[in-house]
């Protein structure tokens, strides 16, 4: 329903810009089946940040109402630049400087993001130029190049005969309606001024994620600008039926591909549904669920992700509020560390749970329509403590030395940890993309107290990396981890 609303609003926006009905209709039809943003259509957890925010942006471009501006801005942080671009275009076109007042809520939003929730989305980093150099070519390739074909071709593997028939019906309906609309269409070169706003929309939509991290869902909002530009080109071509026929064939192929991707998500959902049904008898009396080693993707579809693990137990046990779920865990003193969010999102990415009533389910195999698992397997901690020495020291937190040689991590630091809490650390590695990625769950380093800690740990299966980032936290029950400090080290072979 949300997808359909975006397509209709996009069509109305094109008509508002005097795009002929046939060109606007064909552009909207292609946009509706564009598989580059297929993740957007089927990943329901992310519907607000993807589809709903795009709907608000298009409605703001269409109607200029401040409520649509605010709704889009506070639904997804990556809409800020395109919203300001639309407001600026409206101020210029209507000669109404009042539109510049939209800078005020945008500034408030930026302040709230910086002051209240840093690290939870796009942010300006020291490697911004490097990220631009990496992400812009990838974006072009995922739009019309090699990466686009690499994503598109596997989708046809899951297309059934019924899917092909549905795709043919959709393409036939689009082509017939386009031919009917073409009768009243005349070519017009006067529409070329619409092209610069479309390019601006596309660029402003991509800018925040070019500076950060591009994933499939990030292509949805910019596709509005992409297909608005396509509508301009179609309008300038005029009433040419061969063009409409070729686009009908394109709709046929894209609709089939979208149906193939839908099959991946249906299969993923069915497997998850059966997984949690099989786990239900084992969850009675437990507080924490840790899913270990389960595949995170099935084709283009997400399989077991943090939202699945966090919410499914609550659906199975609606009267129990203490059940937590996750997809990653690490041993902790008298409890367990759980990764509660995707590692990109900073210090809140793990929590300490002081309980022995947790269930660990480790993935073993995929058996037909089910995911096989074993319950409470022998623990396989991601690290091993080789040596630990603690001596009393009345000092604030300070790292004297940290070295990483291969998989051996040596730490020498002063710690002041409050009563009832623990000292923990996370280790991140640096892949080719230039952004640090979390290696594993947190490492449990020391108890409460004031002391100097010297410790050597072996990090099992630690990847080869030129640099590593080690961040230290004070963590305990009921509170998110508090970051004490961090250090970036060069990894010796």
């Amino acid at each position: 329903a949300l997808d359909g609303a975006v397509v209709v609003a996009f069509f109305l926006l094109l008509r508002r810009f005097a795009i002929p009905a046939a060109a606007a209709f064909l552009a909207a039809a292609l946009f509706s089946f564009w598989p580059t943003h297929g993740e957007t259509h089927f990943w329901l957890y992310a519907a607000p940040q993807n589809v709903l925010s795009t709907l608000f942006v298009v409605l703001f471009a269409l109607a200029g109402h401040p409520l649509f501006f605010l709704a889009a801005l506070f639904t997804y942080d990556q809409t800020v630049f395109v919203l300001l671009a639309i407001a600026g275009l409206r101020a210029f076109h209507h000669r109404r400087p009042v539109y510049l007042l939209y800078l005020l809520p945008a500034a408030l939003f930026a302040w709230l993001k910086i002051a209240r929730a840093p690290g939870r989305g796009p942010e300006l980093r020291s490697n911004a130029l490097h990220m631009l150099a990496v992400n812009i070519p990838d974006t072009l390739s995922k739009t019309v190049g090699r990466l686009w074909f690499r994503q598109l071709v596997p989708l046809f593997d899951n297309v059934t005969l019924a899917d092909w028939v549905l795709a043919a019906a959709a393409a036939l309906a689009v082509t017939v309606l386009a031919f009917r609309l073409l009768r009243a269409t005349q070519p017009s070169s006067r529409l070329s001024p619409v092209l610069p706003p479309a390019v601006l929309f596309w660029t402003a939509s991509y800018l925040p994620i070019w500076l950060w991290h591009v994933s499939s869902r990030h292509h949805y909002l910019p596709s509005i600008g992409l297909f608005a530009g396509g509508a301009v080109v179609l309008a300038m071509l005029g009433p040419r039926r061969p063009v409409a026929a070729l686009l009908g064939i394109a709709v046929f192929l894209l609709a089939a591909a979208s149906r193939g991707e839908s099959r991946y998500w249906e299969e993923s959902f069915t497997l998850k549904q059966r997984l949690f049904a099989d786990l239900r008898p084992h969850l009675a009396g437990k507080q924490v669920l840790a899913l270990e080693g389960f595949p995170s993707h099935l084709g283009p579809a997400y399989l077991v992700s943090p939202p699945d693990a966090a919410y499914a137990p609550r659906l199975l046990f609606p009267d129990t509020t203490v059940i937590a779920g996750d997809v990653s865990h690490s041993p902790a003193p008298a409890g367990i560390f759980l990764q509660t969010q995707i590692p990109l999102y900073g210090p809140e990415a793990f929590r300490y749970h002081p309980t022995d009533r947790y269930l660990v389910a480790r993935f073993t195999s995929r058996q037909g329509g089910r995911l096989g698992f074993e319950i409470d397997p022998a623990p396989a901690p991601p690290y091993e403590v080789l040596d630990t020495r603690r001596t009393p020291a009345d000092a604030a937190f300070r790292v004297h030395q940290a070295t990483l040689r291969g998989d051996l991590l040596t730490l020498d630091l002063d710690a002041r940890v409050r009563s009832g809490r623990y000292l923990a650390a996370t280790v991140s590695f640096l892949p080719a993309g230039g952004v640090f990625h979390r290696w594993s769950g947190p490492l449990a380093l020391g108890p409460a107290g004031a002391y100097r800690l010297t410790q050597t740990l072996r990090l099992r299966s630690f990847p080869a990396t030129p640099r590593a980032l080690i961040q230290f936290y004070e963590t305990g029950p009921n509170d998110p981890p508090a970051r004490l400090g961090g250090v970036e080290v060069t990894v010796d072979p």
Side-chain angles (χ1 to χ4, degrees):
L2 288 174
D3 271 326
V6 173
V7 173
V8 171
F10 177 48
F11 172 79
L12 295 176
L13 180 64
L14 294 177
R15 295 293 288 145
R16 175 66 60 85
F17 276 99
I19 300 291
F25 179 76
L26 287 169
L30 289 171
F31 167 77
S32 66
F33 293 113
W34 192 244
T36 300
H37 48 62
E39 172 186 303
T40 302
H41 298 295
F42 305 111
W43 190 23
L44 298 184
Y45 172 76
Q49 69 184 32
N50 296 332
V51 186
L52 194 57
S53 67
T54 299
L55 177 60
F56 290 140
V57 170
V58 176
L59 290 175
F60 177 64
L62 187 63
H65 199 286
L67 287 180
F68 294 138
F69 181 95
L70 295 174
L73 183 65
F74 286 94
T75 303
Y76 198 24
D77 54 7
Q78 294 169 38
T79 62
V80 59
F81 292 134
V82 71
L83 289 171
L84 290 176
I86 294 170
L89 288 174
R90 281 187 162 272
F92 176 79
H93 180 72
H94 297 290
R95 300 294 191 271
R96 295 178 62 185
V98 68
Y99 280 101
L100 298 179
L101 291 177
Y102 284 110
L103 289 170
L104 297 179
L108 172 63
F109 174 81
W111 177 81
L112 289 172
K113 178 175 173 55
I114 294 171
R116 296 294 187 89
R120 286 183 166 269
E123 56 185 1
L124 191 60
R125 298 174 175 173
S126 59
N127 63 344
L129 291 178
H130 171 76
M131 296 305 295
L132 278 173
V134 171
N135 285 327
I136 291 178
D138 280 355
T139 297
L140 297 174
S141 182
K142 287 181 178 179
T143 302
V144 293
R146 175 179 55 85
L147 293 178
W148 184 78
F149 282 101
R150 180 186 296 178
Q151 177 177 339
L152 180 68
V153 171
L155 301 181
F156 292 105
D157 295 340
N158 265 17
V159 179
T160 66
L161 178 60
D163 297 332
W164 285 113
V165 171
L166 284 173
L172 181 62
V174 167
T175 306
V176 170
L177 287 172
F179 281 167
R180 291 176 66 89
L181 293 170
L182 279 170
R183 295 175 182 175
T185 301
Q186 295 295 328
S188 174
S189 60
R190 293 184 299 107
L191 296 172
S192 57
V194 180
L195 194 57
V199 175
L200 178 62
F201 190 108
W202 185 83
T203 305
S205 300
Y206 267 125
L207 183 57
I209 55 178
W210 278 340
L211 297 172
W212 185 58
H213 168 74
V214 177
S215 71
S216 299
R217 63 184 177 276
H218 291 146
H219 299 286
Y220 187 64
L221 177 62
S223 294
I224 297 289
L226 175 68
F227 284 95
V232 172
V233 174
L234 288 173
M236 296 178 66
L237 289 175
R240 301 186 182 184
R241 294 191 174 186
V243 174
L246 287 174
L247 293 181
I249 295 173
V251 167
F252 170 63
L253 295 174
L254 297 181
S258 295
R259 191 68 192 100
E261 182 158 9
S262 177
R263 294 281 183 186
Y264 280 111
W265 288 85
E266 291 167 8
E267 187 178 2
S268 171
F269 175 80
T270 300
L271 286 169
K272 285 184 283 195
Q273 189 178 36
R274 291 174 178 169
L275 169 65
F276 287 108
D278 293 340
L279 283 172
R280 179 168 185 164
H282 305 284
L283 283 170
K286 302 296 184 181
Q287 287 185 330
V288 176
L289 168 65
L291 300 177
E292 185 177 288
F294 282 85
S296 60
H297 283 85
L298 173 67
Y302 277 98
L303 193 54
V304 178
S305 63
D308 296 314
Y311 300 143
R314 294 185 177 93
L315 296 176
L316 296 176
F317 296 89
D319 299 328
T320 305
T321 59
V322 295
I323 290 182
D326 210 274
V327 294
S328 177
H329 70 100
S330 182
I336 190 172
F337 287 128
L338 284 182
Q339 173 186 302
T340 55
Q341 293 195 34
I342 297 174
L344 287 171
Y345 293 152
E348 295 84 8
F350 71 93
R351 284 291 185 99
Y352 169 77
H353 294 264
T355 176
D356 58 357
R357 291 193 296 155
Y358 58 83
L359 177 72
V360 177
R362 179 183 295 171
F363 173 75
T364 56
S365 63
R366 179 177 170 184
Q367 305 161 350
R370 276 186 161 79
L371 298 174
F373 58 87
E374 57 179 327
I375 294 297
D376 290 329
Y383 63 97
E384 175 186 4
V385 179
L386 301 180
D387 181 61
T388 297
R389 293 188 299 275
R390 282 194 303 271
T391 55
D394 188 15
F397 179 83
R398 178 189 175 191
V399 178
H400 296 288
Q401 187 177 14
T403 61
L404 187 54
R405 294 183 176 88
D407 59 357
L408 290 181
L409 174 63
T410 301
L411 300 172
D412 182 6
L413 54 89
D414 291 330
R416 182 189 294 275
V417 183
R418 290 174 292 172
S419 175
R421 288 170 171 78
Y422 298 93
L423 178 65
T426 61
V427 182
S428 302
F429 62 95
L430 184 67
V435 178
F436 281 104
H437 290 279
R438 176 72 54 82
W439 158 69
S440 179
L443 319 177
L445 299 183
Y451 49 83
R452 181 163 184 169
L453 175 69
T454 305
Q455 193 169 75
T456 301
L457 308 97
R458 184 184 302 277
L459 310 181
R460 293 170 175 161
S461 302
F462 187 71
T465 178
R467 300 190 66 80
L469 177 65
I470 307 164
Q471 301 191 78
F472 302 91
Y473 301 90
E474 181 187 75
T475 183
N478 306 320
D479 293 319
R483 186 175 181 275
L484 300 174
V487 61
E488 185 177 333
V489 298
T490 299
V491 181
D492 295 331

